Amino acid sequence: MGQTRSHLSHSTATPGGAKWKSNDTPHRLSISRFRSKRKPRSEQLSRNPMRNKVLSCLGRRKRYSSQTEGDLGYGNETADLAAHRGHRAGKLPRDETVSVSGEYQADTGVFEILPGLGDDVEAVQLTVSREEKAGSSDASCLETRSGEVSCTGCTVPRPCVREDDASDPPARAMEDQRVEGNDQNRFMSGFRTDLSLHPLFTSDPDTERTSSCSPSDRDLDGGLSKLNDRIKGELTQTESTTGDQNNGFLAESGSIKHPDQITQSPSRQTFPGTIPKLIITRDPSPSRSQGTTALQSDQTPCLDPPADDESPCSDSGCGGSPALMRSPRKLSTSSSIGLSSASSFEESEDDFTGSDIESSLSPARSLCSAGDGTGNKSWTKLKSMVHWSPLAFTLKNRSSWVQLAGHAGNFQAKEGGRLLKRYCECEQQCLNKLMTDSLRPYVPGYYGVVQKDEQDYNLMDDLLVGFDSPSIMDCKMGSRTYLEEELMKARERPRLRKDMYEKMVSVDPGAPTEEERAQQGVLKPRYMQWRETLSSTATLGFRIEGIKKADGTCNTNFKKTKQREQVMKALDDFVDGNVQILKLYLKRLEELRSVLEKSHFFKTHEVVGSSLLFVHDASGKASIWMIDFGKMVPLPPPMMLDHRTPWVEGNREDGYLWGMDNLIDILSSMLPQTPCEVDRNSEEA
Ligand SMILES: O=P(O)(O)O[C@H]1[C@H](O)[C@@H](OP(=O)(O)O)[C@H](OP(=O)(O)O)[C@@H](OP(=O)(O)O)[C@H]1O
Ligand SMILES: Nc1ncnc2c1ncn2[C@@H]1O[C@H](COP(=O)(O)OP(=O)(O)O)[C@@H](O)[C@H]1O
């Protein structure tokens, strides 16, 4: 119970760059190297500055608005399910045709059994009407819109708790983080270049709206309806898909350079963009003015927003979850690790140890006590967490499914190697489109929308299937984690998030401004930007969200893992010094990058908050998939992104490929040099 293990492997490294050995893993070489594979930034692409108001109609992810601990997996299943009733969220329009990828014939409207659902699923219907729904009064009865999944075997994932070290220095002031390499004018020709210069949250939201929005409402409406038409068309075009997630498995060998042995290259990539002036994070430097706020508005931000005032594709948006507002220390649903009992885990909450980031939870509820990825604290083993049930071995396609990050309660693991993820329209549309895109091998197979207990879910492959006690890492990609739409909404209708304020304070009590402290709340973009600059998102274009290792140890506390060397240490520990795995990951990433660069889908979507899920196991299998498409939104045609251009408001760039370049570069630099490279480097030196 609660066994502590885990150390970052580098902590035992031989000083002085001597060869390092961990168990049977290959030696790491002490030669420092830095490979720069960064691709040149492409020229500005054709862009349409029109605000894509359709975003607000696309994905809306909602968490259970009144989550209890039972909701989060502590209660028994019956209680969980009961609690979920009445919190139906993110519903599709009643009359909408639901596409179930690959397992239906268009226009039939027939029921079909999804093979992957196993015994749980009784039926899936592709099209329903309001009348049908209206006739269904009993939540336990078959909902005729998209089918029913019985409750058997489903439980809500448990949350994983993060622990943050509040003693670390506060984040740097973001308003000053204009970093080298930025060339706004180059990218903003044809745009209103004053967008990022406006103070956010002016006293007159209408004025602000006018200044930041070029097109008229009529134009926007037109764009909205055209885009909706396009999307509707695409919804019917989904092709057959099956869960072929094993297609990404790879294999190789070698040794990894110890992160401590890698020196910083002069060619290190720095964030080429500008941190928007939304944020004033307090700077520890006495020379900095403190207590300034970005909320330059007469308008008093609302601390208890109306439920419908949410930002797109967000569970609670800038307005936040009302329930969370009322329950400030509720577990952050996005700071969780869930272990589904639909997987092969057997667990009781008593088995979990560690402290709780969201400190309202009792210690008994806490799942992991983690270091910050810098070696300051040791990781804590969740428990004798991975108790394989004998049953698990007899069931085909079952995995020890783990929810490493994201919103607690969003997932339910199903037999048949699939997952139910709380419905998000944006995600549904993306997954549908991805099923026919060249990116298909890099995303989970998608099987449409199913309904259970008045809640819609997207049904997708469990990517852990096929792995034996996998090690998992969630890496959030991109240099920006909030949509432009969210930013605009925050300006127009600023809503204070008490939960985010508290999350911020728990990590760094000095981070809030005086005003934020007085308000006991922060705006969502402010919080998101603070997280970006505290971690490696702003400087490297990605950040580690969580790592769970084969031995059951788990760390979701990488909020302050910012520096390249810190990231390397975490990665090194994740692969346990196994250079074979590292090479496989590198290969997969390079392949994915190449496909991304060519994918029309990718070029035409703003990709925010999406992650790469790294999975490997002791057998030497390793792969990476893209997950979380809740904030992957289509651009108004003919706008396209290169995903490397620094973001300035209006250009919608997200830094996804820039982050990938950096990630690939970091992984490459961890590999041992070939003799040729050693020679070349010594010659250069
Ligand atoms: O990781 P922490 O610091 O807890 O912050 C979370 C993550 O950024 C979530 O992103 P993700 O889901 O990608 O993990 C985000 O959800 P959105 O992606 O919906 O914006 C949450 O916003 P809220 O859901 O508004 O609380 C935010 O509170
Ligand atoms: N298809 C999948 N297969 C296996 N695990 C998944 C899959 N999708 C998500 N997960 C797990 O769930 C976590 C959260 O997923 P994500 O889609 O980011 O949720 P959210 O939308 O709530 O942020 C991931 O870190 C990963 O551990």
Side-chain angles (χ1 to χ4, degrees), residues 87 124 129 131 137 140 170 185 255 275 306 329 331 335 407 427 429 431 436 448 558 577 583 638 664 676 681-683:
H87 296 296
V124 171
S129 66
E131 290 70 27
S137 56
S140 67
N185 293 335
S255 71
I275 303 297
R329 298 307 301 167
L331 172 72
S335 305
H407 296 79
E427 186 152 51
Q429 290 171 359
L431 281 165
T436 54
F558 293 97
K583 282 184 174 174
I664 287 172
C676 280
N681 283 344
S682 54
E683 276 168 23

Side-chain angles (χ1 to χ4, degrees), residues 378-398:
S378 63
W379 292 10
T380 300
K381 193 165 186 172
L382 278 182
K383 56 183 287 187
S384 42
M385 179 174 104
V386 187
H387 291 309
W388 287 90
S389 156
L391 182 63
F393 291 109
T394 66
L395 288 171
K396 234 181 155 186
N397 290 335
R398 273 194 140 179

Side-chain angles (χ1 to χ4, degrees), residues 61 63 162 313-317 332 334-335 406-407 476 486 497 499-500 503 524 527-528 531 543 545 559 609 628 631:
R61 290 187 291 169
R63 64 169 60 105
R162 294 176 181 170
C313 303
S314 171
D315 290 59
S316 49
S332 161
S334 53
S335 305
H407 296 79
K476 185 173 284 194
E486 292 181 276
R497 293 283 300 266
D499 60 327
M500 288 182 161
K503 283 197 282 186
K524 180 169 178 178
Y527 174 79
M528 301 296 262
R531 288 274 277 116
R543 72 172 176 239
E545 286 281 285
K559 284 195 178 81
D628 198 354
K631 293 205 289 193

